[in-house]
Amino acid sequence: MSIWKKLFGGKAGSTPGASSPQQQTFEDLCASGTLMQVQQAIDTGTDVNLRSQHGGTPLMSAINNPDVGVIPLLVRAGAEVNAQTVKGQTALMIAAMGSSKPEVISALITAGADPNLENINGWTALKWAAQTNPNPDIITALVAGGADATIPGLLEICESHNRNKDAVAAALKAAVPPSVEIEQEPPPAHMILVPAGIFAMGDTFAEGDYCAIPVHNVHVSEFLILSTLVTKAHWDRVHQWAVAHGYTFDNAGSGTGPHHPVQKVNWHDSVKWCNALSEMEGVTPCYYSSPDRTTVYRSGRHDLSNACVDWTSDGYRLPTEAEWEKAARGGLDGKRFPWGDTISHENANYNSDWIGSKPCYAYDINKSRGYHPTNRSGGTSVVGTLTPNPFGIYDLAGNVFERCWDWYEEKWYSDRRATEPDPRGPDQGEGRVVRGGSWHAPAKQARVACRWSGSTDKASDDRGFRYVRKTVRRQ
């Protein structure tokens, strides 16, 4: 199957979802016609920037033409070389995925294609080439054209997905001069680095979670995550700054104590608070009120879509569902909880639910029924005091449910988009995903695969959040 068809389900060499017969004809011409035929079409006034319903352009079809000269011909006629589809793909990215001809790459870059543009998932042409293109010369051509070969995780992506991984990995290694030392900026205080890689996402125990199947492999790029839940003290400090700088919130937040997780804030409050933290620390906020990303989200309630997020920003944001589960598993694929397969009050603050003289679930090995002993009538615990996972991240099971970015869709795991690298969930759904269990929920809901839908407007005493941010590199 061609990369074009894989991406859009359409005819190879034609723009996906062509919006008119004229466009379809010109797309086919750009994909397989001669230079003279394309020139003649241009001379008759054909629009070289016609867009399909998915944002495809004639230049994206031209990458399939045996005559590379069609590319500069279209650009001279006014074709936008860095035009992006609705998913942010450019002609260069599409060529990097599937073209076997490095001269196509060179022609696009010579014509002005930016090799370091990112799509809506933060992927560049070089990342796509590392994942899908078996020709190492494509890597060489991209790097020669200015592609950043120091992006973290390139080798891991190549070695996990590329069918010619040895040759492509060698080209990637050769692209970084020995004199260039790539170094991570040290993580901010209390943040943990989650390395890039693939993990098995979903209910690996087949314990009846119909919304958590099928189990599927997902690649997640490296990121930083807060080692604990956001505390009431941390919330108050940022909230006070935010209100003084034009932010409005639905709820002021509450908590059992300053070092307990903040409670009674809704999803909108959490997202705006992340933006406020970013601005307070002088980094670029992630969330905007609309897809044009002109107004930072500071007030009101907006049903944000994936396009409302600057995924390339170095600011703070909620984790995606995939990021949360990868972080929660801590490298222990196939386990039930962040530390292993059983749970007790020594590990987490949850409600040990019993039937008769024993717990409801065999994996709940607690010796007594009910709430955690720190609060026998029910309530939160001080963050960071129970069992961490192997990454050193706390409170991933119990205490309070954690809000994620993604819209909740019951059958999302059956959607092919769920298996794409760095998935960000559907563009709409029934509430937003919550994960991790809480102080009043049973052991079943503390499992790393368990997922629920949470209202974006409701603020309750069993919901909280933690934040993530992208890694920052220096050399």
Side-chain angles (χ1 to χ4, degrees), residues 391-422:
F391 286 164
I393 309 172
Y394 293 83
D395 305 301
L396 291 158
N399 223 352
V400 292
F401 283 108
E402 301 187 32
R403 300 185 186 280
C404 294
W405 159 256
D406 309 41
W407 285 102
Y408 177 85
E409 186 176 295
E410 185 178 285
K411 297 181 180 179
W412 171 246
Y413 285 14
S414 297
D415 192 305
R416 63 174 180 78
R417 293 172 295 169
T419 63
E420 293 177 352
D422 296 316

Side-chain angles (χ1 to χ4, degrees), residues 129-131 133-137 139-140 149 154-176:
Q131 183 189 50
N133 202 311
N135 186 353
D137 292 339
I139 300 291
T140 303
L154 279 177
L155 282 174
E156 290 87 344
I157 291 169
C158 169
E159 291 167 356
S160 298
H161 295 282
N162 201 297
R163 67 177 185 271
N164 191 23
K165 62 182 180 181
D166 292 339
V168 174
L172 286 168
K173 291 174 183 176
V176 182

Side-chain angles (χ1 to χ4, degrees), residues 91-116:
L92 185 62
M93 291 179 197
I94 296 168
M97 291 181 214
S99 175
S100 61
K101 296 161 62 175
E103 53 265 37
V104 170
I105 303 296
S106 300
L108 286 166
I109 293 175
T110 301
D114 183 348
N116 295 311

Side-chain angles (χ1 to χ4, degrees), residues 30 39 60 126 172 225 240 263 304 378 393 456 461 472:
C30 289
Q39 182 65 68
M60 293 174 188
L126 192 61
L172 286 168
I225 189 167
Q240 182 178 11
Q263 305 162 273
L304 306 184
I393 309 172
T456 57
D461 62 2
V472 180

